[in-house]
Amino acid sequence: MILDIQGGPNHVGNYCDAPVIADLDADTVHYQSSYAYIGHFSRYIHTGAMCLFCELSDPSTELEVSAFQNIDGSVVCVILNRGDADTSASLQAKWTNDTVNAAIPAHSITTVTNEKVEL
């Protein structure tokens, strides 16, 4: 989860990246974009959640989507926009026919729950 500015410590010398980088010389901590991405999943998807089947109506889109139902019944949908343009998504629950519309900024991850939208 956290490495130094060189990608270590590492006992075999294959330095890598991490969500959090500590610069010990400058006494600073850098939070990488992957740290925010992990937050979208860990903040809303709880232990024991069930992965739900979801599909995009337009498979050529730059969007990727994952959906989960928590034990308390709440539904969480995480949407990745890999594209260069802002877009929107209409999410429809097949079992209730409820629809939620969400704005999805370019190069972003958006979390939609059955309670609110978090960017």
Side-chain angles (χ1 to χ4, degrees):
M1 195 70 187
I2 186 168
L3 296 174
D4 65 22
I5 200 84
Q6 296 168 332
N10 189 313
H11 70 282
V12 293
N14 61 342
Y15 300 110
C16 50
D17 197 13
V20 181
I21 301 294
D23 186 341
L24 302 177
D25 295 332
D27 198 28
T28 59
V29 176
H30 305 277
Y31 294 92
Q32 310 278 64
S33 57
S34 58
Y35 181 80
Y37 300 160
I38 291 167
H40 276 270
F41 289 89
S42 64
R43 184 175 301 140
Y44 297 102
I45 301 166
H46 305 145
T47 301
M50 180 176 29
C51 186
L52 301 174
F53 174 78
C54 55
E55 64 182 334
L56 297 169
S57 59
D58 180 4
S60 66
T61 182
E62 293 288 336
L63 300 179
E64 294 181 23
V65 60
S66 296
F68 302 86
Q69 183 172 22
N70 289 315
I71 292 172
D72 66 3
S74 61
V75 176
V76 179
C77 185
V78 181
I79 306 165
L80 168 68
N81 182 354
R82 294 180 289 119
D84 294 329
D86 295 350
T87 190
S88 62
S90 291
L91 310 169
Q92 183 178 24
K94 298 274 186 187
W95 60 94
T96 64
N97 286 327
D98 292 338
T99 301
V100 174
N101 296 309
I104 315 296
H107 302 286
S108 72
I109 291 185
T110 301
T111 299
V112 179
T113 71
N114 56 345
E115 297 175 3
K116 62 181 178 178
V117 176
E118 291 289 331
L119 298 176

